[in-house]
Amino acid sequence: GSGVNMAKENWPLALVALLSAILASMLGRGMLRLIPIFCGIIVGYLTASLFGLIDFKPVIEAPWFAFPQFVKPSLSWEAVIFMIPVTIAPVIEHIGDVYAINEVTGKDFVKDPGLHRTMLGDGLACIVAGLIGGPPVTTYSEVTGAISLTKITDPAGIIFSVFGKVSALLKSIPAAVLGGIMLLLFGTIAAVGINSLIQNRTNLGDTRNLIIVSLILTFGIGGAAIEFGGFTMAGIGLSA
């Protein structure tokens, strides 16, 4: 996955970040145990800076306050036609993410507010993003893993995005550091899914269940992709 590809840039640095997050999660006490991801990133960042792997120039040059660049969108029917089949994957991912976040938070968002409302919110967010010239938005599986590990669920954190120095500082984090952390996040998502199977006492001795789980894992984790011209189906979409 993308986490492995990012970690490949510097495996020692990625492992420093990963091990720091694991140790903070398992051995940390109090506040430290609640922020293992940040611990991993901070230790990885400090390690990278000691070895001169970070360019601080963009941070120095960045403005203190910076708002997103809004642009007028243009209509392209070719893009619309291309995106219609692509929407299948995020729709399926959205449903999976809502069920996964149920497990993490101990709440049932499928019932309250309901999948029809979470889907509507996702769709409206995409429309608003498109109208101001931004990219489409969707639920993001890694966030489920991050919430599981950090226990932080408050969306108010988005306010940090308007601080230019903070954004530039985050962008200066080496890809390998983030890759090491993502290895833990992606794994956590899979573990949440397995835990859901266990809690619901899914019988994996049943041939049908075994085949379903096996194919989802091999297609999803194995990196399989099916291509039709310029359209590619892979990962979560292909697994589903």
Side-chain angles (χ1 to χ4, degrees):
S2 56
V4 173
N5 293 331
M6 292 166 73
K8 279 180 181 176
E9 292 192 15
N10 190 325
W11 271 111
L13 187 58
L15 291 175
V16 165
L18 174 60
L19 289 173
S20 299
I22 291 171
L23 289 172
S25 183
M26 295 181 68
L27 304 177
R29 293 183 178 182
M31 190 63 180
L32 195 65
R33 193 174 182 179
L34 295 177
I35 53 169
I37 299 300
F38 298 110
C39 290
I41 291 174
I42 290 167
V43 173
Y45 193 88
L46 291 174
T47 304
S49 62
L50 286 173
F51 287 93
L53 302 174
I54 297 174
D55 180 14
F56 289 103
K57 189 178 178 183
V59 181
I60 296 167
E61 294 177 348
W64 283 103
F65 295 99
F67 289 92
Q69 294 293 316
F70 297 111
V71 295
K72 186 180 179 181
S74 59
L75 180 64
S76 168
W77 287 111
E78 292 86 353
V80 171
I81 293 167
F82 177 79
M83 287 301 292
I84 289 171
V86 177
T87 57
I88 297 168
V91 165
I92 294 165
E93 185 176 11
H94 176 106
I95 295 168
D97 287 342
V98 172
Y99 274 98
I101 207 72
N102 284 354
E103 297 291 331
V104 171
T105 60
K107 297 180 180 179
D108 192 349
F109 296 108
V110 174
K111 287 185 177 180
D112 183 19
L115 273 176
H116 60 298
R117 286 195 177 95
T118 62
M119 282 274 199
L120 177 62
D122 212 341
L124 289 173
C126 283
I127 292 170
V128 172
L131 289 174
I132 57 176
V137 294
T138 183
T139 56
Y140 206 44
S141 298
E142 291 89 317
V143 177
T144 307
I147 289 172
S148 177
L149 290 165
T150 63
K151 309 295 187 291
I152 296 172
T153 58
D154 194 339
I158 196 171
I159 197 169
F160 283 107
S161 65
V162 302
F163 295 103
K165 295 285 186 188
V166 174
S167 296
L169 190 66
L170 293 175
K171 286 177 184 176
S172 71
I173 299 172
V177 171
L178 295 176
I181 296 298
M182 285 174 70
L183 292 176
L184 185 58
L185 294 184
F186 278 117
T188 304
I189 299 159
V192 166
I194 293 169
N195 186 46
S196 181
L197 291 175
I198 293 169
Q199 286 186 348
N200 288 285
R201 300 188 178 184
T202 305
N203 180 16
L204 291 181
D206 184 310
T207 304
R208 178 175 175 276
N209 290 342
L210 189 62
I211 289 172
I212 291 170
V213 173
S214 299
L215 289 179
I216 286 173
L217 287 174
T218 51
F219 274 86
I221 299 175
I226 294 176
E227 297 181 6
F228 300 100
F231 172 70
T232 302
M233 179 71 85
I236 290 174
L238 181 59
S239 300

